[in-house]
């Protein structure tokens, strides 16, 4: 399965790097789409990432999952993109996997896909989160959507994404491989 990461300037580095690394270790193909159209995206703390293509005009049909890293500035940039909202709505309509961490569930909320779902987000963002049930759990799965709370939950989030895509056995294999708790 191919997984599409939606990358915007101001992304939270840990929330990108950990899922990116672990999903690749699990054998999934990961592609990075630039929301701004620039080939290089810069994280909240200056990490520069070379993306694979611009999201605008890209064919996203081949992807089975989409992942949105958090980070306040990054999420603001994701929320401002009509292309991002279209991808999120298309994936949800097709019951494809949607993964969002930290403040990124606010992008899903803005797209209107959490109104009948349980979800979580970064502490303090829940006032903006329009969902059926807010949870303080570190990782929440509801149907085809996985949400998580922040950088400190990035590893658990990545393992849950792997479990949903490839099963618990694969997730545990990667957990042991990286000597996670």
């Amino acid at each position: 399965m191919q997984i599409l990461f939606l990358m915007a300037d101001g992304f939270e580095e840990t929330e990108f790097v950990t899922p990116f690394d672990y999903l690749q270790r699990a054998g999934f193909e990961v592609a990075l789409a630039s929301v701004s159209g620039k080939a290089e995206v810069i994280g909240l703390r200056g990490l520069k990432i070379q993306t694979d293509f611009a999201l605008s005009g890209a064919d996203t049909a081949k992807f089975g999952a989409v992942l949105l890293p958090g980070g306040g500035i990054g999420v603001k940039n994701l929320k401002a993109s009509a292309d991002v909202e279209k991808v999120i709505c298309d994936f949800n309509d097709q019951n494809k996997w949607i993964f969002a961490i930290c403040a990124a569930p606010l992008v899903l909320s803005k797209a209107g896909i959490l109104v009948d779902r349980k979800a979580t987000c970064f502490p303090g963002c829940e006032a903006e989160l329009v969902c059926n049930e807010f949870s303080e759990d570190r990782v929440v799965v509801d149907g085809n959507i996985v949400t998580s709370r922040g950088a400190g939950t990035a590893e658990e989030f990545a393992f849950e994404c792997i479990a949903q895509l490839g099963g618990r056995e694969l997730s545990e294999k990667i957990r042991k491989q990286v000597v996670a708790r």
Side-chain angles (χ1 to χ4, degrees), residues 136-155:
E136 291 185 0
D137 291 347
R138 294 171 64 82
V139 179
V140 173
V141 179
D142 189 339
N144 63 313
I145 299 173
V146 179
T147 54
S148 191
R149 304 226 54 201
T153 67
E155 188 172 58

Side-chain angles (χ1 to χ4, degrees), residues 1-33:
M1 175 181 295
Q2 293 182 325
I3 304 163
L4 177 65
F5 277 53
L6 301 182
M7 302 302 297
D9 284 330
F11 68 90
E12 164 57 56
E13 284 87 345
T14 302
E15 297 163 3
F16 157 69
V17 172
T18 303
F20 178 83
D21 180 1
Y22 289 12
L23 285 161
Q24 284 193 324
R25 286 173 188 261
F28 298 104
E29 292 181 46
V30 176
L32 308 179

Side-chain angles (χ1 to χ4, degrees), residues 3-8 11-12 15-16 19 23 31 33 35 55 65-71 74-81 83-85 87-89 91 97-111 113 145-148 157 161:
I3 304 163
L4 177 65
F5 277 53
L6 301 182
M7 302 302 297
F11 68 90
E12 164 57 56
E15 297 163 3
F16 157 69
L23 285 161
V35 171
L55 180 59
V66 63
L67 189 145
L68 290 77
V75 168
K76 180 179 175 185
N77 290 328
L78 290 171
K79 283 172 62 176
S81 170
D83 291 326
V84 168
E85 187 164 332
V87 167
I88 295 302
C89 290
F91 273 57
W97 287 105
I98 301 170
F99 307 134
I101 185 169
C102 190
L106 297 179
V107 180
L108 311 185
S109 178
K110 180 179 180 277
I113 66 169
I145 299 173
V146 179
T147 54
S148 191
F157 173 67
C161 293

